[in-house]
C-alpha cells in the first residue's frame, strides 16, 4: 500500500500497543526546513514513548555559539571553537532554547552544517544517542537532513517529509512573526530557498531522501494526519498491523 493510499484512510487513532521489541528501534525523520519533520518526529516519539533528538538543534547551537563569539560561521577555525564550547555545555535546555530559532541563527546554521569538520564532530553524539537513547525507552527518533543516509543508515524505518516551499515559508512566517514583526513572508521564503539550496548542494551529507525512506508530503495535511500516517506505517512494519485495521 502506498503512502498516498494510507493518507486517504482513516488510520490509527489509538496508542500503539505497549509490547516493545527486545532491541531498540531507530526511526529517522529527514526533510527540509519547516516541512513538519520536527513536529512529526516529536509526536512519534511521544506516541511510542521513545527518546527524541532534534539534530538540527545541534547545528543551531553551534551557530549561536559562533555568533556569540563574534566568529564567522563559514570559517572552520571559528566554528570548531564553538563546537568545543557546545560539546562541553550540551543540555536538553540548550537544544530547546528559543534563541536557536532566531533567523540569523537559522542562516548561520546552514553555513556551519556545510563544514565537514563540524559534521564529523557531531556524528558520534548522534549515533550514540540512537544506539543508547536516554531513559528506559524502546527506541529513538532522530530528525534532521542526513539521519537516514549518513547518521543511521540502518535505521529501522525512515521518513522523508516534504511540503511545497510556499507552505513551508508560511508556516515558518507564522512561527516567527510575533517575535520578528519586521519580517515579511517574501523574505522568509527567499531565506528558506537559499538554505534548501545550500543544504542540498553541500559536499558532505547533502540533504536528500534515503532510497528506502517513506516520502510524506505534508502540504495539505494537518500534523495529526501526518502522525497517523507515520504511526500506521510503523505499526504495519513492526507490529503486524493489517490493511483491514481501520
Ligand atoms: O532542521 P533545522 O532547520 O533546525 O536545521 C538547521 C540547519 O542544520 C539546516 O541548515 C540544516 C542543518 N542540518 C544538517 O545539515 N543535518 C542535520 N542532521 C540536521 C540539520
Amino acid at each position: 500500500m502506498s503512502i498516498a493510499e494510507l493518507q486517504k484512510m482513516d488510520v490509527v487513532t489509538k496508542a500503539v500497543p505497549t509490547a516493545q521489541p527486545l532491541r531498540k528501534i531507530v526511526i529517522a525523520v529527514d526533510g527540509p526546513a519547516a516541512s513538519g519533520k520536527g513536529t512529526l518526529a516529536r509526536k512519534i516519539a511521544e506516541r511510542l514513548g521513545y527518546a527524541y533528538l532534534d539534530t538540527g538543534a545541534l547545528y543551531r547551537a553551534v551557530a549561536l555559539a559562533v555568533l556569540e563569539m563574534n566568529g564567522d560561521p563559514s570559517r572552520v577555525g571559528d566554528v570548531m571553537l564553538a563546537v568545543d564550547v557546545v560539546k562541553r555545555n550540551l543540555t536538553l535546555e540548550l537544544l530547546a532554547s528559543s534563541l536557536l530559532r532566531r533567523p540569523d541563527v537559522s542562516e548561520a546554521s546552514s553555513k556551519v552544517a556545510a563544514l565537514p569538520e563540524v559534521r564529523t564532530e557531531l556524528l558520534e553524539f548522534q549515533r550514540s544517542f540512537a544506539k543508547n537513547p536516554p531513559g528506559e525507552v524502546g527506541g529513538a527518533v532522530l530528525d534532521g537532513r542526513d539521519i537516514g543516509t549518513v547518521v543511521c543508515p540502518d535505521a529501522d524505518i525512515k521518513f522523508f517529509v516534504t511540503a511545497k516551499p510556499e507552505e513551508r515559508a508560511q508556516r515558518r512566517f507564522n512561527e516567527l512573526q510575533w517575535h520578528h514583526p519586521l519580517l515579511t513572508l517574501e523574505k522568509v521564503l527567499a531565506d528558506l530557498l537559499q538554505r534548501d539550496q545550500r543544504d542540498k548542494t553541500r559536499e558532505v551529507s547533502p540533504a536528500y531522501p534515503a532510497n528506502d525512506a517513506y516520502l510524506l508530503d505534508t502540504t495539505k495535511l494537518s500534523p495529526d494526519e501526518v502522525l497517523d500516517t507515520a504511526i500506521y506505517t510503523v505499526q504495519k512494519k513492526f507490529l503486524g498491523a493489517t490493511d483491514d485495521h481501520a
Side-chain angles (χ1 to χ4, degrees), residues 160-235:
F160 194 88
V161 184
T162 59
K164 290 216 166 67
E166 292 74 17
E167 171 66 21
R168 295 194 282 123
Q170 185 68 58
R171 290 174 188 170
R172 189 47 53 89
F173 179 66
N174 294 347
E175 277 167 28
L176 292 173
Q177 61 176 339
W178 183 251
H179 290 293
H180 303 276
L182 298 182
L183 209 59
T184 62
L185 180 58
E186 291 68 30
K187 166 91 172 104
V188 173
L189 177 60
D191 287 353
L192 202 118
L193 291 175
Q194 193 186 32
R195 277 209 296 141
D196 279 0
Q197 187 63 11
R198 200 182 289 132
D199 294 340
K200 278 195 284 196
T201 55
R202 65 180 177 224
E203 278 177 28
V204 270
S205 305
Y208 68 92
N211 288 336
D212 50 349
Y214 292 91
L215 300 184
L216 279 173
D217 185 337
T218 70
T219 307
K220 296 200 172 120
L221 298 178
S222 71
D224 281 343
E225 286 171 322
V226 181
L227 175 67
D228 285 348
T229 305
I231 290 290
Y232 179 62
T233 310
V234 173
Q235 282 188 315

Side-chain angles (χ1 to χ4, degrees), residues 37 55-56 59-60 109-110 113 119 144-146 195 199 202:
K37 67 178 185 312
T55 66
Y59 293 94
R60 286 173 180 270
S109 67
S110 82
R119 304 201 72 84
R145 297 292 190 291
D146 61 342
R195 277 209 296 141
D199 294 340
R202 65 180 177 224

Side-chain angles (χ1 to χ4, degrees), residues 120-186:
T120 305
E121 280 297 313
L122 298 182
L123 189 58
E124 202 42 50
F125 176 79
Q126 297 171 76
R127 284 194 174 147
S128 104
F129 185 97
K131 200 164 171 220
N132 299 304
E136 295 288 308
V137 293
V141 185
L142 287 81
D143 83 61
R145 297 292 190 291
D146 61 342
I147 308 302
T149 50
V150 175
V151 178
C152 304
D154 298 328
D156 298 276
I157 188 153
K158 302 174 185 177
F159 294 104
F160 194 88
V161 184
T162 59
K164 290 216 166 67
E166 292 74 17
E167 171 66 21
R168 295 194 282 123
Q170 185 68 58
R171 290 174 188 170
R172 189 47 53 89
F173 179 66
N174 294 347
E175 277 167 28
L176 292 173
Q177 61 176 339
W178 183 251
H179 290 293
H180 303 276
L182 298 182
L183 209 59
T184 62
L185 180 58
E186 291 68 30

Side-chain angles (χ1 to χ4, degrees), residues 90-113:
L90 197 57
T91 60
L92 289 179
E93 287 71 31
L94 171 64
L95 294 181
S97 164
S98 62
L99 293 176
L100 302 186
R101 304 291 140 194
R102 273 180 7 207
D104 59 329
V105 173
S106 298
E107 167 70 9
S109 67
S110 82
K111 292 183 178 161
V112 307

